[in-house]
């Protein structure tokens, strides 16, 4: 069984920064991609950033230029560095690992941007 645990969320002022972490426990067979999604109340879950095999990067329009996804293979951990945060970034953020034939989700961590 593989479990993903997010951390690093919280309350931050507009213009501030946060770094989210997602650590995988259990055995990892093969990872096709690691990604961060977010979901605000009344909104669909949206892809924020993705790191795929071959080090292929993707950023959603709202994240480009402000957020950075990275990984630490030795710790089976993916990070999301978020800078220049604004209230529109307020959401629950979820990490996701894609394996062959399986998609694994974390519980989510709340990010609130407010003065």
């Amino acid at each position: 069984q593989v479990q993903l645990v997010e951390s690093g969320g919280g309350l931050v002022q507009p213009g501030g920064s946060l770094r989210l972490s997602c650590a995988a426990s259990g055995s990892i067979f093969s990872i096709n991609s690691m990604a961060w999604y977010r979901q605000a109340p009344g909104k669909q879950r949206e892809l924020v950033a993705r790191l795929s095999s071959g080090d292929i990067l993707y950023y959603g329009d709202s994240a480009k230029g402000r957020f950075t996804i990275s990984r630490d293979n030795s710790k089976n951990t993916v990070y999301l560095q978020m800078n220049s945060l604004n209230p529109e970034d307020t959401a629950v953020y979820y990490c996701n690992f894609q394996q062959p034939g399986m998609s694994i989700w974390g519980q989510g961590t709340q990010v609130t941007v407010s003065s």
Side-chain angles (χ1 to χ4, degrees):
Q1 295 287 335
V2 177
Q3 183 178 0
L4 305 181
V5 180
E6 299 100 334
S7 62
L11 176 65
V12 64
Q13 294 182 342
S17 299
L18 285 174
R19 189 184 72 165
L20 306 183
S21 300
C22 177
S25 62
S27 62
I28 304 296
F29 176 69
S30 180
I31 301 296
N32 291 335
S33 67
M34 304 173 178
W36 287 95
Y37 291 75
R38 70 185 184 187
Q39 187 168 24
K43 300 290 184 65
Q44 295 272 49
R45 186 171 298 185
E46 65 173 323
L47 176 62
V48 178
R50 179 168 56 212
L51 177 59
S52 300
S53 60
D55 293 327
I56 304 300
L57 289 168
Y58 170 85
Y59 291 101
D61 289 341
S62 63
K64 190 173 183 178
R66 300 188 299 130
F67 296 179
T68 303
I69 187 172
S70 61
R71 67 184 180 188
D72 184 339
N73 289 335
S74 67
K75 298 179 180 180
N76 289 324
T77 300
V78 63
Y79 304 94
L80 184 68
Q81 177 67 45
M82 304 187 293
N83 299 323
S84 301
L85 288 163
N86 57 64
E88 290 71 35
D89 297 314
T90 296
V92 177
Y93 285 70
Y94 300 88
C95 65
N96 171 260
F97 282 21
Q98 294 282 353
Q99 295 182 315
M102 180 176 293
S103 182
I104 307 170
W105 293 90
Q107 297 181 161
T109 184
Q110 176 71 48
V111 172
T112 302
V113 184
S114 175
S115 61

